[in-house]
Amino acid sequence: MMDDHAHQACEGRWTWDARLRRLNMEVPPGSPVRDLKGSWSPEGLASLIDGLSRQRLIRSFDGGDVSVNCALRLSDGRRVQLVGAFLSAGEAQGLLLSDEAVEAARGEHDPGPELDPVYQPILALSPGQPIVGFEALARWRGEVTGRFDDDGLALNMLLKAADALSAWQRETGRADLFVHVNLTGRDLEEPGLPDLIATLIDGHGLAPGALKVELTEQAALRDADSALNAAHRIKAAGAGLVLDDFGTGHSSFAWLADLPADGVKIDHALTCRAGEPRTRAILESVTALGHRLGMRVTAEGVEIAREADLLARIGFDQVQGFAFGRPAGLRRSSERLADRSGAAG
Ligand code: G
Ligand code: MN
């Protein structure tokens, strides 16, 4: 399954100047797509790309969408993707992803399954239990399960989640809605990440912290200092930070102390035992601790709806879990928001 999918790598940055109609590409010398470096008119670039991709290129920049997500096939078979957003009507910017050379050598191109995230609602434990946000989870069209080894995944998930959030905010008029995207330690090593996040936030006009990045301590295992640096840069770019899976596996108080997070999610392993006195004592302490640190505290993996009252009394601010909504596609998620009830479904 994994072998069917192209392995993407970030190869550089681009900016689009609508007034001059120039696409400026910055690509380092060693890159397999270094020949794309330079300042292009769309027509000039079109001479390098496969006929079928040309319209897509023009539409991406002239089509009026805030997001730019343009997969191009070069005439020699290499494939590149431009991801980013318009900052204003006249100016867009983003990152250049390319599929590694092995894909080109294969000749005919299997485009791979298309990323099609699902979104699981996060509800406030306040009267009416309104949906306040969603966690985006990676799924591929036509695939039931599986995670593809793909360096472009985090960037594409951020792009799709920002798009989805922007649509939900427009549909509901609620600028306070948020979306969470999970990132790994390897994702944090991507140097273009803070820029892309800033571009998406500015391009869609999102409030600071509305696009949230979930991190587990796993992200810090390889190199804690660089993970923390990256987390600070992401936060400075306008994203919220949420500590994921707290209370299980790798999750220390040191990481809680270090990460400048505005939210923490307590793992299913603890929340499913909230009724037990010892676990309850732990949960009451951890929610109080989260609040002392200025964090919103979410109970995740909640499978029994009537436990919401108990979790609220313990001190949780938010719940997420099968009892309050399974992950669903974009359309269904919009319907859930329109229902307002926040009821499971
Ligand atoms: O914390 P993390 O990002 O790993 O959690 C996301 C995963 O948890 C998803 O795969 C999602 O389907 C799953 N999940 C969501 N709600 C529940 C639940 O109520 N119970 C269990 N067991 N898993 C859940
Ligand atoms: Mn998560």
Side-chain angles (χ1 to χ4, degrees):
M1 186 167 63
M2 275 192 182
D3 295 343
D4 289 346
H5 194 55
H7 189 82
Q8 285 189 316
C10 185
E11 298 291 348
R13 292 154 198 244
W14 56 265
T15 56
W16 164 250
D17 183 328
R19 196 174 54 83
L20 301 176
R21 292 189 54 72
R22 295 305 275 192
L23 182 62
N24 300 299
M25 306 255 227
E26 250 180 73
V27 188
S31 164
V33 291
R34 58 190 170 275
D35 51 319
L36 294 181
K37 177 176 157 62
S39 172
W40 301 88
S41 68
E43 294 69 27
L45 189 61
S47 66
L48 287 189
I49 64 185
D50 187 76
L52 289 173
S53 295
R54 285 183 199 160
Q55 273 314 309
R56 203 174 301 145
L57 175 70
I58 306 291
R59 254 201 327 271
S60 294
F61 292 109
D62 292 338
D65 283 347
V66 169
S67 285
V68 176
N69 184 7
C70 181
L72 301 175
R73 179 176 161 174
L74 303 182
S75 27
D76 61 6
R78 288 172 298 162
R79 292 193 300 147
V80 295
Q81 185 187 359
L82 305 175
V83 297
F86 274 85
L87 293 163
S88 64
E91 183 198 2
Q93 66 181 53
L95 301 177
L96 177 68
L97 310 181
S98 98
D99 294 345
E100 279 179 0
V102 58
E103 194 66 12
R106 210 194 279 167
E108 235 352 89
H109 290 273
D110 171 3
E114 193 192 332
L115 179 65
D116 190 19
V118 288
Y119 303 91
Q120 186 173 34
I122 299 171
L123 286 66
L125 282 171
S126 53
Q129 296 176 354
I131 294 175
V132 286
F134 291 88
E135 176 176 0
L137 297 162
R139 296 286 186 281
W140 286 264
R141 196 154 285 164
E143 296 286 337
V144 184
T145 53
R147 188 183 165 93
F148 295 90
D149 181 20
D150 183 346
D151 284 343
L153 177 59
L155 303 175
N156 280 301
M157 283 295 290
L158 284 164
L159 185 92
K160 299 222 174 201
D163 261 354
L165 179 60
S166 167
W168 295 323
Q169 291 194 347
R170 247 191 339 269
E171 289 161 10
T172 59
R174 289 174 52 189
D176 60 328
L177 287 171
F178 58 78
V179 69
H180 290 201
V181 176
N182 294 280
L183 296 190
T184 66
R186 208 174 75 174
D187 298 331
L188 291 181
E189 288 168 13
E190 169 53 60
L193 192 67
D195 273 358
L196 181 78
I197 287 173
T199 303
L200 292 174
I201 290 172
D202 289 353
H204 287 291
L206 301 175
L211 183 60
K212 297 184 195 288
V213 164
E214 288 193 16
L215 296 171
T216 69
E217 190 167 357
Q218 198 84 36
L221 289 187
R222 207 152 35 161
D223 182 345
D225 284 346
S226 85
L228 272 176
N229 275 332
H232 278 277
R233 283 196 301 275
I234 288 170
K235 193 178 167 75
L241 292 178
V242 178
L243 197 76
D244 199 9
D245 294 346
F246 194 77
T248 186
H250 297 283
S251 53
S252 69
F253 286 111
W255 177 240
L256 187 64
D258 285 341
L259 192 74
D262 47 56
V264 57
K265 296 176 84 173
I266 312 300
D267 193 75
H268 168 80
L270 285 174
T271 59
C272 71
R273 298 169 54 183
E276 298 173 19
R278 293 176 65 87
T279 309
R280 179 172 177 155
I282 291 170
L283 292 175
E284 284 173 351
S285 309
V286 169
T287 51
L289 176 60
H291 292 153
R292 282 284 302 272
L293 295 171
M295 296 176 175
R296 256 191 270 182
V297 189
T298 305
E300 61 176 358
V302 181
E303 295 175 348
I304 302 170
R306 64 185 146 72
E307 288 188 350
D309 286 343
L310 172 62
L311 293 166
R313 266 181 276 126
I314 284 174
F316 284 100
D317 305 297
Q318 300 178 160
V319 273
Q320 178 183 355
F322 292 161
F324 304 96
R326 292 192 174 248
L330 191 57
R331 177 100 51 91
R332 177 82 190 97
S333 301
S334 290
E335 288 167 6
R336 281 175 166 162
L337 278 172
D339 285 347
R340 292 174 45 101
S341 65

